[in-house]
Amino acid sequence: MQKILSGNEVKSLDQQYVAGEGICSYQLMERAARVFCAWFVQEVPMEKPVSIYCGTGNNGGDGLAIARILNQAGYRVHVGLIGDPDSGSSDFRQNLQVLPERVSLDSWEKCPSGQVIVDAIFGVGINRPLGGDYQSLVQELNARAALKISVDMPSGLPSDGPAEGDVFRADYTVSFQFPKLSLLAPEHAVFTGKLVVKSIGIDRGYFESFDSRRFFYSGEALETLHKTFPNSSHKGDFGRIILAGGSYGKMGSIGLSTRAALRTGSGLVFCKVPACGVDILQTSIPEAMVLPPGGETEVGGSLETEGIDAVGMGPGLGKGKGAVELVHELLRRYTGPAVLDADAINILGDHPEWLSFLHAKVVLTPHLKEFERLTGIEAKNHFHRMDLARDFVVKYGCVLVLKGAYTLISFPDGQQVFNNSGSVHMATGGSGDVLTGILTSFLGQGYSMKNAVLCGVFHHGHAGELAGSQFGRGTLASDILEKIPESFRHFGIV
C-alpha cells in the first residue's frame, strides 16, 4: 500500500529522496515529466495540437519539461506563461532555459488554444482561492472545448482540503507517486476527472518517517493476502456462511449476495429469507440452501449460528419487526465474523444503543447516506466524513467500509485505506449486495479481518472494471459478480 502524505510533506519527501539518492531536484522533475509524457503519448493522438499553461513554480517547471519532451516526440506544442518568469523557482528557470526554440512560447493571453490543454499552473502548494489573472485564466480554460489534463493537481484545488472558488476542471489528473488526499473526495470529481497515479520511483522507505495513517491501495501483492487451500480441501474448508435478507419484492438483493458468495468460493451458503422468497432462491440458485423461514413477507424468527463461520445481513431485509429482532439478535449473541449492510445498518442507526454490541469481527458497509444515518451527523464534506469514519471505528472497535468512488476502509487501529479499483459503471442497483456476499465469503473462508476486507473491496472493484469494459453503461450487478473468477485469475489467485 502507498502511504498518502499531505501537501506540506511533499516538499520534504522530495528533499529527502534527492539527498538520499544523490540526485538533484531538476532530475526528479525530469523523471516526473517523462512519466507524464509516457502516459500522454498512449492517450493523445499526435495530430492534436497541445497548449500547456505554466505557472512559475515547480508545477510550471513540470509543464515546461513536458512541453520539451512532447515536442521532441513530434507533437505541436504551445506554452502559455503566467507570472513573472524571473522570479520563478530554480527548476522552472532551468527548464525555461532548455526549452527548444521550436516550442511556441508566449504569455497566457496570447497562447493559442489547442485541442488539448495541459494545466501546469499550480501544484500542491496552493492554500488559498485563485484570484486576479490566475482566476481569469482558469475561468477561460474551463470555458474552452478541449481535452483537459492537469499535472499532479488541478490548479486551484488545495491538496488537503475542500475546494474554494474557481478550480481547473480536468478530464484527467496525472498525479505523481501517490494521490493527494483532495483528489479522492467525491465532491472534487468534477475537477479531478479520471485520476491517474504514476510512480516516479521514490522507494517506499522514504515514506517511513511520515506518520500518515492513510493509504492508497492498488492491488499491490494482492496474492499474498489470499489464503491457499490444499488439494485435499473439501467444501467445509471453504466456509459455512449465512446470508440473511430479502423481503417481498426485494428478493433480488439477497440473491445477488448469495451468488457473489458462491462465485467468491464459499463452500456452503445458507440463506435466511422470508417464506415468499424460498421458491425464488431454490429455483434461481440451486447451489444455495434455504433455512426455515420465520416470516411470510419479511425475515423473522431466530438465527441458528452453531457451526457457522460468518454471517452477512441486510440486503433487501426491510425494517419490519422481524428484521429488527434479527439484527438485534445477531449483534447481541453472535461473536463471529459478520457483515452488516443496507437495512441492517439503517436498523442499527435507528437503535444507537446497540452500537455497544459492535466488536472487532463486525464489518459495516454503508454508502454515504447510510453512514449519516448511522452516526446521526451530516458531514460538512468528505474530509469531515473521513475523520468521522476513523473516530467511529476507533470508538466501537469494528471495521467500516464507506462505499463510493475510492471506497474508504477504516480499521479500528486508526488506519484508513482508499481502494483504487472500480468503475463509474458500478453505480447500479445491487452492486453493494454483491460486495456483501464477497466479504462474507472471505470471512467464512477464514481470512483475517484486514485481508478479507482488502481483498473483498479490491476484487469487487476490479470485477466491476472488467464488467464495465464489456457492458459500459449497461453493466448490471449480476455482471459484476460473474467477473469475480476472472478477477481472481488476473491476479494469479487459484
Side-chain angles (χ1 to χ4, degrees), residues 181 214 382-390 408 416 418:
L181 193 61
R214 286 173 172 151
H382 203 55
F383 303 93
H384 183 208
R385 194 177 292 116
M386 294 174 203
D387 291 340
L388 289 173
R390 180 198 59 216
L408 177 63
Q416 292 184 297
F418 293 89

Side-chain angles (χ1 to χ4, degrees), residues 49-51 53 78 108 110-117 140-141 144-146:
V50 181
S51 297
Y53 291 85
H78 301 272
W108 67 272
K110 298 178 181 179
C111 181
S113 181
Q115 291 177 270
V116 182
I117 293 173
E140 182 180 324
L141 296 180
R144 293 182 188 174

Side-chain angles (χ1 to χ4, degrees), residues 206-220:
Y206 286 98
F207 287 79
E208 293 304 316
S209 62
F210 300 95
D211 62 1
S212 173
R213 298 287 289 158
R214 286 173 172 151
F215 297 82
F216 189 66
Y217 185 59
S218 300
E220 302 92 339

